Amino acid sequence: MSNSKPVNLSSASPAAGAHSLAEILSQPEFWSGSLEVLQREDLLADLRHWFRFATEWLFIGCGSSYYIALAAAASWTMITGMRARALPASELLLFPDLVLPGSAEVAAVVISRSGRTSEAVRAAELLEREKNIRTLAVTGTAGQPLQQIATATLPFLACDEESTVMTRSFTSMLIGLQYLAAWYAEDRALMNSLGKLPALAAQAINGVQQQIRELVASRQFADYVCLGQGPYFGLACETALKITEMSVSYAQSFHTLEFRHGPKSIVAPETLVIFLMSERGYDAEREVLREIKRLGGTTLAVTNRAEDRVRAASDLLVEFDFDLPELVRLAPHVFAGQFAGLYTGLKKGLDPDNPRNLSRVVILDPEESSEPSETAPA
């Protein structure tokens, strides 16, 4: 670690970031509430009725909601054994024939915190009204256009945020979709494991907060890189987006092993490289971590359990030590990025609750029927 003098994180106004901090810390509590909603028999019976013939699933969103889709689609395939893909809503709208399957019995999950994101609503309209594909709306706001268009709705009404960026809604929706996959696969053990996650995460989150706060206070970074493979790739994308949104910093995301193929040229001591480490790819990802450390980068590893070589190659190690299946542990891997975005923004005198150029929902002019929206919360 650098011996540079710590910077006072109170340079922003006293209220700056207050909503974001409260929402990040409240995530485990809200996960419990979301899981309780999903245990309603009437809701599950309704979903089984409408989607019982599906053999392939599309997960669709914009911004953070698309990154939920990436992690959820990977989880869905790994849990159910069914084919699942994630798409940005804009890709579906601009190139429907390129991305839609031709023959399978398809169901679509359209994710939007607000239920009003223009591209998500238009994607649902295209699927339901033109392609005759049933859609499941995943939203945190009732009575909005997405819910009115979709065949059925998975509601996360208690997890919405006051701040602009998605934090607890991101993780709550991801865990909810994992629970739905486990229910669909009749995997009671996985459903029970998801029920144990909130209590374990509640014990861990304050420690992660302290680690990241101290790192941000003691170091100055010019670039941020977030890496993950498989179901962790969507989380790496979300980690980069949180740092970009909340602190107006330059952050990129890559598949971990792909970072070797050109992008590693940016590695320097002022580059923070965040590794979201999987179990399946642990050995290969560890070697990339060690390589980046040898090149002089600053490394932050997030993993469930680390061995000595990962410890030695990590400037900061976030270790959960949860006795839970790997997929169940996905959501807490975004804690580090959420706190990094928050505290870096505060250090720069910004208000992470209200990032510049962003709004809580992207609504396009009706005449802008095919232009993709800015990267923003959805």
Side-chain angles (χ1 to χ4, degrees), residues 94-118:
L94 296 177
F95 298 97
D97 295 335
L98 183 64
V99 299
L100 287 176
S103 58
E105 185 71 30
V106 180
V109 177
V110 182
I111 306 165
S112 169
R113 174 180 65 175
S114 68
R116 296 186 295 138
T117 306
S118 293

Side-chain angles (χ1 to χ4, degrees), residues 241-261:
L241 182 59
K242 288 289 91 68
I243 293 170
T244 298
E245 290 176 325
M246 299 173 85
S247 70
V248 194
S249 300
Y250 184 62
Q252 302 179 80
S253 54
F254 301 92
H255 291 89
T256 305
L257 273 64
E258 285 298 301
F259 189 60
R260 283 173 162 156
H261 299 278

Side-chain angles (χ1 to χ4, degrees), residues 57-281:
W57 291 76
L58 302 177
F59 290 79
I60 296 160
C62 307
S64 286
S65 294
Y66 170 54
Y67 301 146
I68 297 172
L70 283 170
S75 296
W76 194 274
T77 294
M78 295 174 78
I79 293 169
T80 69
M82 302 174 73
R83 178 174 167 80
R85 291 184 293 138
L87 298 170
S90 57
E91 196 76 350
L92 175 64
L93 293 171
L94 296 177
F95 298 97
D97 295 335
L98 183 64
V99 299
L100 287 176
S103 58
E105 185 71 30
V106 180
V109 177
V110 182
I111 306 165
S112 169
R113 174 180 65 175
S114 68
R116 296 186 295 138
T117 306
S118 293
E119 290 156 73
V121 171
R122 291 172 187 168
E125 288 177 328
L126 172 69
L127 292 166
E128 287 273 0
R129 298 172 182 174
E130 297 183 29
K131 302 297 182 180
N132 197 30
I133 293 175
R134 289 174 176 165
T135 61
L136 173 64
V138 176
T139 182
T141 312
Q144 297 302 319
L146 180 60
Q147 184 176 6
Q148 295 164 4
I149 295 165
T151 300
T153 299
L154 199 61
F156 293 91
L157 304 183
C159 67
D160 200 1
E161 296 102 348
E162 292 288 334
S163 55
T164 298
V165 302
M166 292 177 69
T167 51
R168 72 182 176 209
S169 60
F170 180 95
T171 52
S172 295
M173 290 178 181
L174 173 57
I175 289 171
L177 287 167
Q178 290 180 311
Y179 185 91
L180 183 61
W183 168 81
Y184 204 95
E186 299 182 347
D187 190 338
R188 292 288 175 182
L190 196 62
M191 294 165 69
N192 291 336
S193 293
L194 283 163
K196 297 175 183 177
L197 177 64
L200 293 171
Q203 295 172 14
I205 194 168
N206 290 315
V208 179
Q209 177 193 12
Q210 185 63 25
Q211 284 181 286
I212 301 301
R213 184 184 174 104
E214 291 175 359
L215 174 69
V216 172
S218 63
R219 298 292 300 267
Q220 190 77 26
F221 298 109
D223 302 294
Y224 299 83
V225 176
C226 308
L227 305 177
Q229 292 277 164
Y232 295 87
F233 177 65
L235 306 184
C237 295
E238 174 65 5
T239 296
L241 182 59
K242 288 289 91 68
I243 293 170
T244 298
E245 290 176 325
M246 299 173 85
S247 70
V248 194
S249 300
Y250 184 62
Q252 302 179 80
S253 54
F254 301 92
H255 291 89
T256 305
L257 273 64
E258 285 298 301
F259 189 60
R260 283 173 162 156
H261 299 278
K264 70 178 183 181
S265 62
I266 71 168
V267 170
E270 63 273 14
T271 305
L272 178 62
V273 186
I274 302 173
F275 289 78
L276 307 184
M277 300 187 68
S278 69
E279 283 186 4
R280 182 174 300 184

Side-chain angles (χ1 to χ4, degrees), residues 268-330:
E270 63 273 14
T271 305
L272 178 62
V273 186
I274 302 173
F275 289 78
L276 307 184
M277 300 187 68
S278 69
E279 283 186 4
R280 182 174 300 184
Y282 185 89
D283 290 346
E285 292 162 15
R286 178 192 62 217
E287 294 312 304
V288 180
L289 172 68
R290 297 176 72 193
E291 180 179 351
I292 299 310
K293 184 61 179 173
R294 288 194 299 269
L295 293 174
T298 301
T299 55
L300 192 173
V302 183
T303 188
N304 192 50
R305 293 189 178 98
E307 40 77 66
D308 289 344
R309 285 170 289 184
V310 166
R311 294 180 187 281
S314 302
D315 290 289
L316 182 65
L317 176 66
V318 173
E319 192 173 13
F320 294 114
D321 196 25
F322 294 162
D323 286 321
L324 294 172
E326 180 171 23
L327 284 178
V328 173
R329 304 190 309 260
L330 283 186

